[in-house]
Amino acid sequence: MSRSIHAMLAVLLASTLAACSSAPPLSEEDEEALATLAAVAGPTSNVDPEAITRTECWLPSDHPIEDESVSDTSWRVLCRAHYVDDSGDRYQDATCVGDFAAEPMLEHCYRWAYYTGMPMFEDFPAVAAD
C-alpha cells in the first residue's frame, strides 16, 4: 500500500475514534433509568446479583413505547446482564419496561427468551399445555 493510503486510513481511524469518544452526555432521566436498570435487570431475570460483572442496556429515551394506551413517558429496552458462573463468562438478556414519570421507574424485568414468536422449539420437544 502506498503511504497516502496509510495516511488516509490513519486519519479515518483517528476521526472514528474521536467520534466514538465524544458521545453526547446522557440526560438525567437516562442516567437514573440506567442506574435502576443495572440494579434490576439481572436479579429479576434470575441472575445471582453477586455474580453480575456488568449490565448493558439500550438507551431508554431512544426506545419509547408508541402506544396511546400507555403514558408517553414509558419505554421498553433490552438489557444484558453479564455474569460469571462455574462454566465461565455468561450473560442473560432481559426485557425491561419502565416509565420515566413513575416512582419507582421500574421494579422488574423479564428474561428475554430467544423463542418468543418462533414457530417451534428447536432444542426441547414441545408439549401441549391445553
Side-chain angles (χ1 to χ4, degrees):
M1 260 197 254
S2 72
R3 287 184 188 200
S4 62
I5 291 175
H6 281 223
M8 285 191 315
L9 289 174
V11 168
L12 180 61
L13 177 62
S15 63
T16 301
L17 291 174
C20 291
S21 65
S22 62
L26 296 176
S27 70
E28 187 175 319
E29 284 181 325
D30 279 327
E31 284 183 11
E32 183 181 344
L34 291 169
T36 302
L37 287 161
V40 172
T44 63
S45 58
N46 298 329
V47 178
D48 177 3
E50 297 294 318
I52 296 172
T53 57
R54 68 186 172 100
T55 301
E56 56 188 339
C57 301
W58 291 350
L59 192 60
S61 63
D62 285 350
H63 295 88
I65 298 174
E66 297 176 4
D67 183 334
E68 292 179 12
S69 67
V70 298
S71 164
D72 63 354
T73 55
S74 296
W75 44 265
R76 179 185 306 119
V77 297
L78 288 180
C79 288
R80 177 166 285 175
H82 296 263
Y83 65 97
V84 178
D85 68 10
D86 292 339
S87 63
D89 292 330
R90 297 282 176 250
Y91 65 86
Q92 173 61 55
D93 291 335
T95 301
C96 303
V97 179
D99 186 336
F100 287 125
E103 184 59 45
M105 195 175 297
L106 82 148
E107 295 179 16
H108 194 88
C109 293
Y110 304 89
R111 289 180 76 151
W112 181 80
Y114 173 78
Y115 294 108
T116 300
M118 301 291 278
M120 59 189 253
F121 298 107
E122 294 186 311
D123 55 351
F124 292 101
V127 178
D130 53 40

